Amino acid sequence: MNEATIAKKHEEVQVIREKISKAGSTLFVDYLGLTVAEVTELRVKLHAENCEMKVVKNNILRRATEEGGYEGIDTHLVGPSAIVTAHDEVSAAKICADTNAKTQKLEIKCGLLDGQFMSSDEVKALAKIPSREELIGKLLFIFQNPMRSLAVAVNEIAKKNA
Protein backbone atom coordinates (compact mmCIF):
# COMPACT_ATOMS: atom_id res chain seq x y z
CA MET A 1 0.00 0.00 0.00
CA ASN A 2 1.37 3.42 -0.86
CA GLU A 3 1.85 6.23 1.63
CA ALA A 4 -1.02 8.33 0.28
CA THR A 5 -3.51 5.51 0.88
CA ILE A 6 -2.17 4.89 4.37
CA ALA A 7 -2.40 8.59 5.20
CA LYS A 8 -5.95 8.77 3.86
CA LYS A 9 -7.04 5.76 5.95
CA HIS A 10 -5.33 7.18 9.05
CA GLU A 11 -7.19 10.47 8.52
CA GLU A 12 -10.49 8.61 8.15
CA VAL A 13 -9.82 6.72 11.40
CA GLN A 14 -9.20 10.02 13.19
CA VAL A 15 -12.42 11.54 11.81
CA ILE A 16 -14.50 8.53 12.93
CA ARG A 17 -12.80 8.45 16.35
CA GLU A 18 -13.58 12.13 16.86
CA LYS A 19 -17.23 11.67 15.80
CA ILE A 20 -17.61 8.85 18.32
CA SER A 21 -15.99 10.82 21.12
CA LYS A 22 -18.19 13.90 20.54
CA ALA A 23 -21.43 11.93 20.17
CA GLY A 24 -23.86 11.42 23.03
CA SER A 25 -24.65 8.00 21.59
CA THR A 26 -23.22 5.93 18.78
CA LEU A 27 -24.83 2.91 17.15
CA PHE A 28 -23.24 0.29 14.93
CA VAL A 29 -25.84 -1.11 12.54
CA ASP A 30 -26.11 -3.60 9.68
CA TYR A 31 -28.07 -1.98 6.86
CA LEU A 32 -27.92 -4.95 4.46
CA GLY A 33 -31.27 -5.54 2.77
CA LEU A 34 -32.56 -1.99 3.01
CA THR A 35 -33.58 -0.52 -0.32
CA VAL A 36 -32.21 2.81 -1.48
CA ALA A 37 -35.55 4.43 -0.65
CA GLU A 38 -35.52 2.96 2.87
CA VAL A 39 -31.95 4.12 3.49
CA THR A 40 -32.82 7.58 2.19
CA GLU A 41 -35.87 7.74 4.46
CA LEU A 42 -33.73 6.60 7.41
CA ARG A 43 -31.10 9.26 6.69
CA VAL A 44 -33.78 11.97 6.41
CA LYS A 45 -35.29 10.95 9.77
CA LEU A 46 -31.85 10.89 11.37
CA HIS A 47 -30.93 14.27 9.91
CA ALA A 48 -34.16 15.79 11.26
CA GLU A 49 -33.10 14.70 14.77
CA ASN A 50 -29.52 16.01 14.35
CA CYS A 51 -28.09 12.51 13.84
CA GLU A 52 -25.84 11.19 11.11
CA MET A 53 -25.39 7.79 9.43
CA LYS A 54 -22.19 6.90 7.65
CA VAL A 55 -21.18 3.62 6.02
CA VAL A 56 -17.65 2.76 7.12
CA LYS A 57 -15.37 -0.20 6.53
CA ASN A 58 -15.04 -2.51 9.53
CA ASN A 59 -11.25 -2.14 9.60
CA ILE A 60 -11.60 1.63 9.94
CA LEU A 61 -14.21 1.21 12.68
CA ARG A 62 -12.01 -1.29 14.54
CA ARG A 63 -9.04 1.04 14.49
CA ALA A 64 -11.12 4.06 15.52
CA THR A 65 -12.72 2.24 18.46
CA GLU A 66 -9.39 0.76 19.58
CA GLU A 67 -7.70 4.18 19.46
CA GLY A 68 -10.64 5.67 21.34
CA GLY A 69 -10.37 3.01 24.05
CA TYR A 70 -13.82 1.52 23.47
CA GLU A 71 -13.87 -2.16 24.41
CA GLY A 72 -16.07 -4.98 23.10
CA ILE A 73 -17.06 -3.51 19.75
CA ASP A 74 -14.65 -5.33 17.43
CA THR A 75 -16.43 -8.69 17.86
CA HIS A 76 -19.68 -7.13 16.56
CA LEU A 77 -18.11 -5.65 13.42
CA VAL A 78 -18.89 -8.48 11.03
CA GLY A 79 -20.56 -7.91 7.68
CA PRO A 80 -21.62 -4.53 6.33
CA SER A 81 -21.55 -1.83 8.98
CA ALA A 82 -22.70 1.73 9.32
CA ILE A 83 -22.18 4.10 12.19
CA VAL A 84 -25.03 6.27 13.49
CA THR A 85 -24.02 9.17 15.73
CA ALA A 86 -26.34 11.42 17.73
CA HIS A 87 -25.77 14.42 19.96
CA ASP A 88 -28.33 13.17 22.46
CA GLU A 89 -28.68 9.73 23.98
CA VAL A 90 -32.01 8.43 22.69
CA SER A 91 -32.97 9.77 19.26
CA ALA A 92 -30.73 7.55 17.10
CA ALA A 93 -31.79 4.42 19.02
CA LYS A 94 -35.48 5.33 18.61
CA ILE A 95 -35.19 5.97 14.87
CA CYS A 96 -33.17 2.81 14.20
CA ALA A 97 -35.52 0.67 16.32
CA ASP A 98 -38.54 2.14 14.51
CA THR A 99 -36.93 1.43 11.14
CA ASN A 100 -36.16 -2.13 12.22
CA ALA A 101 -39.75 -2.64 13.40
CA LYS A 102 -41.04 -1.30 10.09
CA THR A 103 -38.67 -3.09 7.69
CA GLN A 104 -37.22 -6.01 9.70
CA LYS A 105 -33.96 -5.35 7.83
CA LEU A 106 -31.92 -2.92 9.93
CA GLU A 107 -29.97 -4.80 12.59
CA ILE A 108 -28.56 -2.91 15.57
CA LYS A 109 -25.25 -4.63 16.33
CA CYS A 110 -24.19 -2.67 19.43
CA GLY A 111 -23.70 0.87 20.62
CA LEU A 112 -21.91 3.34 22.83
CA LEU A 113 -23.62 5.62 25.33
CA ASP A 114 -21.30 8.28 26.72
CA GLY A 115 -18.35 6.03 25.88
CA GLN A 116 -19.78 2.90 27.55
CA PHE A 117 -20.48 -0.25 25.53
CA MET A 118 -24.12 -1.27 25.05
CA SER A 119 -25.32 -4.56 23.63
CA SER A 120 -28.05 -4.74 21.01
CA ASP A 121 -30.65 -5.51 23.68
CA GLU A 122 -29.57 -2.51 25.75
CA VAL A 123 -29.87 -0.24 22.71
CA LYS A 124 -33.39 -1.57 22.07
CA ALA A 125 -34.30 -0.92 25.72
CA LEU A 126 -32.91 2.61 25.38
CA ALA A 127 -35.14 3.15 22.34
CA LYS A 128 -38.23 2.47 24.47
CA ILE A 129 -37.48 5.36 26.85
CA PRO A 130 -39.86 8.27 26.23
CA SER A 131 -38.39 11.41 24.70
CA ARG A 132 -37.55 14.43 26.84
CA GLU A 133 -40.67 16.25 25.63
CA GLU A 134 -42.91 13.27 26.51
CA LEU A 135 -41.40 13.06 30.00
CA ILE A 136 -41.88 16.80 30.58
CA GLY A 137 -45.50 16.50 29.40
CA LYS A 138 -46.16 13.62 31.79
CA LEU A 139 -44.56 15.52 34.66
CA LEU A 140 -46.68 18.59 33.95
CA PHE A 141 -49.81 16.43 33.83
CA ILE A 142 -48.90 14.96 37.22
CA PHE A 143 -48.47 18.47 38.66
CA GLN A 144 -51.61 19.80 37.00
CA ASN A 145 -54.02 17.02 38.00
CA PRO A 146 -54.13 17.69 41.80
CA MET A 147 -54.51 21.43 41.18
CA ARG A 148 -57.38 20.83 38.80
CA SER A 149 -59.09 18.51 41.29
CA LEU A 150 -58.68 21.13 44.03
CA ALA A 151 -60.11 23.85 41.77
CA VAL A 152 -63.13 21.68 40.90
CA ALA A 153 -63.74 20.89 44.59
CA VAL A 154 -63.51 24.58 45.59
CA ASN A 155 -65.84 25.50 42.72
CA GLU A 156 -68.41 22.89 43.81
CA ILE A 157 -68.29 24.15 47.40
CA ALA A 158 -68.78 27.72 46.19
CA LYS A 159 -71.81 26.64 44.07
CA LYS A 160 -73.28 24.75 47.00
CA ASN A 161 -72.91 27.72 49.39
CA ALA A 162 -74.24 30.28 46.92
Side-chain angles (χ1 to χ4, degrees):
M1 217 182 293
N2 66 23
E3 288 184 31
T5 305
I6 292 172
K8 183 179 177 187
K9 286 186 178 188
H10 181 70
E11 182 181 327
E12 193 172 344
V13 166
Q14 298 309 316
V15 168
I16 296 298
R17 186 175 56 80
E18 190 165 324
K19 278 186 184 198
I20 293 171
S21 68
K22 288 183 179 180
S25 65
T26 304
L27 303 179
F28 300 90
V29 298
D30 180 354
Y31 59 92
L32 189 65
L34 289 175
T35 65
V36 174
E38 291 168 337
V39 171
T40 302
E41 181 182 347
L42 174 62
R43 286 180 189 263
V44 167
K45 287 179 182 177
L46 288 168
H47 183 72
E49 293 294 325
N50 203 16
C51 303
E52 179 185 5
M53 178 177 161
K54 181 175 173 96
V55 176
V56 183
K57 290 187 176 188
N58 288 336
N59 249 355
I60 302 292
L61 285 176
R62 269 191 208 94
R63 288 181 184 160
T65 55
E66 285 173 7
E67 286 183 17
Y70 306 111
E71 304 268 330
I73 295 172
D74 55 345
T75 58
H76 296 279
L77 299 177
V78 178
S81 297
I83 183 174
V84 180
T85 55
H87 293 290
D88 66 356
E89 290 78 15
V90 182
S91 61
K94 281 186 173 297
I95 294 168
C96 290
D98 289 346
T99 301
N100 184 36
K102 183 178 171 184
T103 65
Q104 300 296 317
K105 297 175 187 172
L106 183 73
E107 176 193 346
I108 300 171
K109 295 179 177 184
C110 63
L112 293 169
L113 180 64
D114 293 328
Q116 299 298 316
F117 176 80
M118 294 185 341
S119 68
S120 174
D121 293 335
E122 291 171 324
V123 172
K124 290 173 186 172
L126 180 68
K128 293 178 183 175
I129 294 175
S131 70
R132 183 174 190 267
E133 291 76 22
E134 288 176 67
L135 290 173
I136 289 172
K138 288 179 181 183
L139 183 63
L140 289 175
F141 177 76
I142 289 170
F143 287 149
Q144 177 189 10
N145 199 25
M147 295 297 187
R148 186 171 16 138
S149 298
L150 179 64
V152 168
V154 169
N155 190 29
E156 291 298 319
I157 292 171
K159 285 181 183 178
K160 183 179 177 183
N161 291 337

